Amino acid sequence: MPSRKFADGEVVRGRWPGSSLYYEVEILSHDSNSQLYTVKYKDGTELELKENDIKPLTSFRQKKSGSTSSSPSRRRGSRSRSRSRSPGRPPKSSRRSASASHPAEVLEMRKEVLEVKLTPLVLERPFGNSINRYNGEPEYREKNDMPHRNTQEKFHLSEESSYISTEYTLRPRREETKLKEIDAKEEKIVTKGPPSLRTFEVTAAQKKDLEFGGVPGVFLIMLGLPAFLFLLLLMCKQKDPSLLNFPPPLPALHELWETRVFGVYILWFFVQALFYLLPIGKVVEGTPLTDGRRLKYRLNGFYAFLLTSAVIGASVFRGVTLHYVYNHFLQLALAAIVFSVLLSVYLYVRALRAPWDELSPASSGNAIYDFFIGRELNPRIGTFDLKYFCELRPGLIGWVVVNLVMLLTEMKLQDRATPSLAMILVNSFQLLYVVDALWNEEAVLTTMDITHDGFGFMLAFGDLVWVPFIYSFQAFYLLHHPNEVSWPVASLIIALKLCGYVIFRCANAQKNAFRKNPTDPKLAHLKTIHTSTGKNLLVSGWWGFVRHPNYLGDLIMALAWSLPCGFNHILPYFYVIYFAVLLVHREARDERQCRRKYGVAWEQYCQRVPYRIFPHVY
């Protein structure tokens, strides 16, 4: 593994992103995963640069006293104006030597770089495509108006800087073009070598950066989650689902596995894939990648939901019974687990051949950890984005279908003319949640799942198994343990749900509006703290109440989902407990990233907004 070229604290010259200008910078740190250096300019601006954009001080000619506007020919005492050379034109001897040796050409070109003493500006207006963000899923949270700290979002600032610095570039265009060609050749030379070596250089494991308990932790999670899923479902089917009772035995494998059921699940997956490929809905661009590209995504999740509803409605009208889903619920869960594992294996194998710049910032180089967290950031088959498709389609829409199956099965098994009020509340609350997610589909493009985490077992299992079979747990519980809810109690539960939804939606709307247009007169009353990155932190409104008002709204809604199940057992409240632990862990991750990214500004924000999720509690 090659050693880093520049040490922390070393003073060098760094290229201002998007331009040909080099400024004196100080090396602050180095990330061996992304191979990026964090540098600090004299005016305090901190950016992350590639090693090719950093040069030692000795690579530049030290300027002598005198006018900085004099050309090289005048400094050599030339008396003929017709033979004078511009700053972008090297001497004849240099051109001759450059044609003979590439390293000499690189050195000569570096010597001709003009040092311009201009303070880089930072635009506070949004640049490019501003994207709303949906916070419906617990894994997808971020702070206030700020984008997630990840390799993709680092280039928002680069684009803005490119816009500014090109106004002050004094280098002749011919020389600037030539220098870019040389840099491209240098990058090709650097990337030559065995693919395995290049991959190892970028994804060298750092144990201190591994989450979820590192390799042992993710290994236990992958083994424990499927077993825990079956444990919950089997306990729920018991007459007395008390935690003090001995866990029920797991059915034999031949009882759980049915090839036909696996075929049904495959059919469901590919029907949703077909809806995804339909040329309906607008196409938007995602956040910038490491090379500056923006992938395109078609937003038709809501249309896919409507089409799915129409197909299921027509099937029921023609006499097709959905009771089959309930009768084979455990078999369907096992089919989803097997499919998610097979998909994870495919994703990992194909990621071994992926270029290093397409790998996830969260990948480590360890096979077990990368299989779990995901090695490739945006795996695509042509234009079909596997991660984006699985994020909202098969699992989220499947969650609504499972809830509907439980409602119809309750009416059949309990001989009801209408569903119970508790079942109606659970179905209605969770349907609103899913529809809100699909309606705001564009916002998922800025979530951590899309911009930072790779697509591996964690997201595959979570999207395809955990969401449809665990998030529907309240409806599954009510089917086996009915609970009668009076209208006064139902009114209080509805009020609680609406309260959580208002907090959740208003906080996200305020954040998204501020991200789109910080100068909007409607937001003029909001107070902010400026950061060195050019972004502002909201310290008033919903985001001055607590640091994560969207988390608070999410938790209130989760509690409202469970209350219709009554208080006879703690089992239906598993989702609330799990969700609270998940959001606290998520908040800690966000806290570390934002403290590192915003520095002093984040400290000031924490002083102004001391509570993280729960006012006066946490």
Side-chain angles (χ1 to χ4, degrees):
M1 175 178 175
S3 60
R4 52 185 290 188
K5 187 174 180 181
F6 303 102
D8 292 351
E10 183 176 353
V11 178
V12 294
R13 291 197 187 276
R15 185 204 300 263
W16 185 257
S19 75
S20 302
L21 302 181
Y22 283 77
Y23 297 92
E24 189 173 295
V25 298
E26 178 185 358
I27 301 293
L28 297 181
S29 63
H30 176 260
D31 188 344
S32 62
N33 285 343
S34 60
Q35 294 295 304
L36 295 176
Y37 287 86
T38 301
V39 301
K40 183 177 183 180
Y41 292 80
K42 284 188 175 181
D43 67 342
T45 301
E46 295 184 10
L47 292 177
E48 291 183 325
L49 302 178
K50 295 187 295 185
E51 190 170 273
N52 290 342
D53 292 333
I54 303 175
K55 306 296 178 185
L57 293 177
T58 55
S59 297
F60 297 82
R61 172 180 298 167
Q62 299 297 325
K63 292 183 179 291
K64 296 182 180 180
S65 60
S67 173
T68 60
S69 63
S70 60
S71 67
S73 61
R74 292 184 179 181
R75 291 198 297 270
R76 293 179 177 86
S78 175
R79 297 181 180 180
S80 175
R81 293 183 60 86
S82 62
R83 297 178 58 84
S84 63
R85 287 178 290 270
S86 67
R89 186 179 175 188
K92 289 183 178 180
S93 60
S94 300
R95 294 197 297 271
R96 286 194 297 269
S97 62
S99 62
S101 172
H102 173 72
E105 178 183 313
V106 176
L107 179 60
E108 194 64 31
M109 294 302 296
R110 293 293 182 258
K111 288 182 178 180
E112 292 299 324
V113 174
L114 297 179
E115 182 179 359
V116 182
K117 298 296 184 181
L118 295 175
T119 301
L121 301 177
V122 179
L123 294 181
E124 295 188 22
R125 64 178 177 81
F127 186 91
N129 181 33
S130 296
I131 304 175
N132 293 338
R133 187 175 163 288
Y134 174 69
N135 287 2
E137 293 299 319
E139 291 286 340
Y140 316 151
R141 304 300 189 277
E142 69 180 16
K143 297 287 187 300
N144 305 344
D145 61 302
M146 307 172 298
H148 285 292
R149 178 176 180 81
N150 55 71
T151 306
Q152 292 176 324
E153 289 293 338
K154 292 169 186 172
F155 286 82
H156 275 301
L157 185 58
S158 301
E159 291 183 321
E160 296 172 5
S161 304
S162 173
Y163 172 81
I164 301 165
S165 57
T166 52
E167 298 178 3
Y168 305 120
T169 299
L170 303 183
R171 180 185 305 281
R173 292 185 181 274
R174 181 174 59 183
E175 180 183 347
E176 186 172 343
T177 303
K178 189 174 183 181
L179 184 58
K180 290 181 179 179
E181 293 176 355
I182 295 173
D183 288 339
K185 293 179 181 178
E186 289 178 341
E187 291 180 1
K188 290 180 180 179
I189 294 173
V190 171
T191 56
K192 287 182 179 180
S196 59
L197 177 61
R198 296 201 306 270
T199 301
F200 180 76
E201 291 174 2
V202 177
T203 60
Q206 283 186 322
K207 292 184 179 179
K208 63 179 182 180
D209 294 330
L210 302 185
E211 298 180 301
F212 304 101
V215 176
V218 301
F219 183 75
L220 293 176
I221 290 175
M222 288 189 288
L223 291 180
L225 282 180
F228 188 71
L229 169 67
F230 281 109
L231 176 64
L232 282 177
L233 296 179
L234 290 173
M235 288 184 63
C236 188
K237 296 180 72 172
Q238 287 184 316
K239 185 176 180 180
D240 182 16
S242 174
L243 297 180
L244 301 178
N245 293 339
F246 193 78
L250 188 68
L253 182 60
H254 70 273
E255 297 179 9
L256 288 176
W257 177 258
E258 289 189 22
T259 306
R260 183 178 179 181
V261 174
F262 185 74
V264 170
Y265 184 84
I266 295 294
L267 177 63
W268 164 259
F269 185 89
F270 282 100
V271 165
Q272 293 302 317
L274 177 63
F275 291 162
Y276 173 83
L277 293 173
L278 293 177
I280 56 177
K282 66 178 181 178
V283 177
V284 299
E285 293 182 336
T287 56
L289 303 175
T290 55
D291 57 3
R293 294 182 300 118
R294 290 174 181 260
L295 298 178
K296 293 184 178 181
Y297 300 88
R298 183 175 294 279
L299 306 180
N300 57 9
F302 186 74
Y303 295 107
F305 174 76
L306 294 180
L307 288 173
T308 303
S309 302
V311 171
I312 292 178
S315 300
V316 172
F317 179 77
R318 288 181 171 272
V320 176
T321 176
L322 299 181
H323 196 63
Y324 178 88
V325 176
Y326 170 74
N327 290 337
H328 298 83
F329 199 61
L330 295 180
Q331 290 85 347
L332 283 169
L334 180 60
I337 292 172
V338 172
F339 184 82
S340 65
V341 171
L342 294 176
L343 178 60
S344 302
V345 172
Y346 164 76
L347 292 169
Y348 182 80
V349 171
R350 65 165 280 160
L352 295 176
R353 296 175 295 177
W356 68 267
D357 57 344
E358 294 183 4
L359 300 184
S360 162
S363 62
S364 68
N366 181 278
I368 297 177
Y369 187 84
D370 287 352
F371 179 83
F372 173 80
I373 203 71
R375 181 178 173 85
E376 189 175 0
L377 183 61
N378 299 294
R380 287 192 166 199
I381 302 176
T383 59
F384 190 93
D385 193 297
L386 292 169
K387 181 169 68 172
Y388 177 69
F389 165 71
C390 291
E391 194 74 19
L392 291 178
R393 309 304 178 93
L396 208 64
I397 298 177
W399 173 15
V400 175
V401 174
V402 170
N403 277 350
L404 176 63
V405 169
M406 299 305 162
L407 182 146
L408 297 176
T409 305
E410 180 196 53
M411 295 173 59
K412 181 177 181 179
L413 295 183
Q414 300 178 14
D415 196 21
R416 290 175 175 267
T418 58
S420 66
L421 181 57
M423 183 68 79
I424 292 176
L425 290 177
V426 169
N427 270 259
S428 302
F429 292 165
Q430 296 181 354
L431 176 63
L432 174 63
Y433 195 81
V434 172
V435 170
D436 183 87
L438 296 173
W439 184 260
N440 296 280
E441 182 182 5
E442 184 177 0
V444 80
L445 297 178
T446 56
T447 62
M448 194 173 190
D449 286 359
I450 299 295
T451 62
H452 182 268
D453 294 333
F455 192 28
F457 178 85
M458 180 181 73
L459 290 182
F461 183 89
D463 293 337
L464 303 179
V465 182
W466 197 255
V467 170
F469 293 97
I470 290 298
Y471 283 27
S472 61
F473 191 70
Q474 285 85 4
F476 188 72
Y477 175 87
L478 286 173
L479 180 59
H480 298 89
H481 307 278
N483 181 59
E484 296 300 328
V485 178
S486 63
W487 275 107
V489 173
S491 301
L492 294 177
I493 296 175
I494 293 173
L496 183 66
K497 162 67 179 182
L498 293 178
C499 177
Y501 182 76
V502 168
I503 296 174
F504 170 81
R505 180 46 51 205
C506 290
N508 286 324
Q510 188 178 76
K511 175 190 63 180
N512 294 332
F514 185 79
R515 179 189 295 142
K516 273 188 171 182
N517 183 15
T519 61
D520 190 342
K522 297 180 180 179
L523 306 175
H525 65 285
L526 298 177
K527 298 179 181 179
T528 62
I529 294 178
H530 189 67
T531 70
S532 60
T533 65
K535 301 290 183 180
N536 289 333
L537 303 177
L538 282 173
V539 292
S540 64
W542 289 102
W543 299 93
F545 181 54
V546 289
R547 299 179 207 169
H548 297 271
N550 48 353
Y551 289 15
L552 178 61
D554 248 338
L555 286 172
I556 293 175
M557 288 191 292
L559 178 61
W561 298 352
S562 302
L563 288 175
C565 298
F567 301 98
N568 293 329
H569 302 285
I570 196 175
L571 205 58
Y573 293 88
F574 161 76
Y575 176 78
V576 183
I577 299 171
Y578 143 78
F579 200 36
V581 173
L582 181 69
L583 291 186
V584 169
H585 174 261
R586 172 63 178 163
E587 189 278 332
R589 294 177 66 193
D590 287 346
E591 188 80 12
R592 289 193 299 269
Q593 293 174 358
C594 292
R595 192 177 300 276
R596 178 185 173 188
K597 182 175 183 179
Y598 299 106
V600 177
W602 185 253
E603 297 291 343
Q604 295 174 356
Y605 173 71
C606 293
Q607 293 176 1
R608 296 279 296 272
V609 187
Y611 299 105
R612 305 185 182 204
I613 300 177
F614 302 101
H616 306 287
V617 177
Y618 176 74

